[in-house]
């Protein structure tokens, strides 16, 4: 599995830098979901070093519908530009509803961030006039290699050598390494799935950043 603490730390630091380490932040997560509770705890621990960051917890439900209506209410209560610095979501699909509400309200000065690097995350990241600035991505090729090695070990009577847990390399996908990030994560056919034109994406967002894959320590 991805190293959840590492992914949350990477995306949280990217997010806090994007809002200049200050302002009101709305944190969306699903209470009781252990992985999401872990993501949230890492973000809150890092943000605690920055006293000008004010976190507003927004417990929500899996999927996008609930976060959309919650974000609409938050925007109504905070109509002034600059009154919301950013929105942090425990995974891309979860925060996609809030992202849509922000776009509809024309409040793209609000930075939105998520985790997982799923297809909807790349759609939000690479579409025009998007408030979504980054997502944490895990590297799938290593997962396939590890699975293949496990099968070989098991087939040769060496199942006891299969590690009980593994962690996967991760990186931060932004608008400016999004093309390489999307193709690394989902393959070159991803553009048809995303319904985005690769050349248009490159023209919109110059690909000036490299994908910097972080290898977590062995468990």
């Amino acid at each position: 599995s991805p190293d959840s603490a590492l992914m949350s730390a990477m995306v949280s630091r990217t997010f806090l830098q994007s809002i200049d380490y200050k302002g009101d932040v709305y944190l969306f997560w699903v209470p009781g979901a252990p992985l999401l509770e872990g993501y949230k705890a890492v973000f809150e621990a890092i943000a605690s070093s920055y006293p000008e960051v004010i976190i507003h917890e927004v417990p929500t439900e899996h999927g996008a519908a609930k976060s959309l209506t919650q974000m609409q209410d938050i925007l109504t209560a905070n109509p002034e530009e600059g009154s919301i610095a950013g929105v942090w979501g425990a995974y891309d699909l979860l925060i996609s509803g809030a992202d849509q509400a922000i776009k509809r309200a024309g409040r793209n000065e609000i930075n939105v961030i998520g985790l997982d690097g799923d297809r909807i995350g790349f759609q939000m990241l690479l579409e025009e006039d998007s408030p979504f600035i980054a997502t944490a991505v895990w590297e799938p090729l290593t997962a396939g290699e590890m699975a293949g090695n496990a099968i070989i070990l098991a087939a040769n009577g060496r199942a006891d050598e299969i590690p009980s847990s593994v962690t996967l390399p991760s990186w931060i996908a932004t608008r400016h390494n999004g093309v390489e990030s999307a193709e690394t994560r989902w393959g070159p056919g991803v553009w048809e799935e995303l319904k985005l034109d690769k050349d248009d994406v490159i023209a919109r967002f110059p690909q000036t950043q490299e994908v910097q894959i972080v290898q977590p320590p062995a468990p």
Side-chain angles (χ1 to χ4, degrees):
S1 66
D3 186 311
S4 57
L6 173 64
M7 288 179 67
S8 184
M10 290 194 303
V11 82
S12 296
R13 294 188 186 285
T14 298
F15 176 73
L16 291 167
Q17 182 179 28
S18 78
I19 63 170
D20 199 25
Y21 305 97
K22 61 186 178 183
D24 288 76
V25 171
Y26 289 81
L27 187 159
F28 286 75
W29 93 108
V30 180
L35 181 63
L36 308 190
E37 293 278 12
Y39 287 157
K40 173 177 177 285
V42 170
F43 172 68
E44 289 178 324
I46 294 172
S48 68
S49 297
Y50 304 100
E52 293 185 76
V53 174
I54 302 168
I55 297 175
H56 305 269
E57 294 186 354
V58 188
T60 190
E61 300 170 359
H62 287 295
K66 182 70 171 178
S67 75
L68 188 151
T69 58
Q70 288 172 311
M71 194 68 220
Q72 287 173 331
D73 291 343
I74 292 166
L75 290 166
T76 299
N78 298 274
E80 302 85 8
E81 183 172 332
S83 57
I84 301 171
V87 174
W88 187 98
Y91 62 90
D92 293 343
L93 176 60
L94 183 77
I95 207 62
S96 64
D99 178 85
Q100 188 62 35
I102 291 166
K103 285 189 66 177
R104 289 178 185 176
R107 294 288 300 278
N108 288 11
E109 85 279 2
I110 300 170
N111 287 343
V112 182
I113 207 161
L115 293 96
D116 280 354
D118 61 20
R119 291 177 180 85
I120 196 167
F122 280 108
Q123 270 184 326
M124 292 188 291
L125 183 66
L126 298 175
E127 65 188 2
E128 193 169 5
D129 297 326
S130 174
F132 193 80
I133 62 164
T135 182
V137 187
W138 56 273
E139 205 274 301
L141 296 179
T142 300
E145 180 182 349
M146 289 176 174
N149 288 338
I151 292 170
I152 292 170
L153 288 171
N156 287 278
R158 298 164 57 192
D160 59 325
E161 298 178 31
I162 300 173
S164 59
S165 66
V166 294
T167 53
L168 300 176
S170 306
W171 72 94
I172 297 296
T174 73
R175 295 177 180 130
H176 299 294
N177 67 13
V179 169
E180 183 183 356
S181 290
E183 292 184 350
T184 300
R185 177 65 181 89
W186 294 106
V190 69
W191 305 107
E192 184 175 350
E193 298 174 28
L194 298 180
K195 296 180 172 56
L196 292 172
D197 184 277
K198 179 177 176 179
D199 291 336
D200 286 348
V201 169
I202 293 171
R204 206 161 39 238
F205 306 120
Q207 298 298 291
T208 55
Q209 295 177 341
E210 295 182 0
V211 168
Q212 298 184 345
I213 296 177
V214 178
Q215 177 67 56

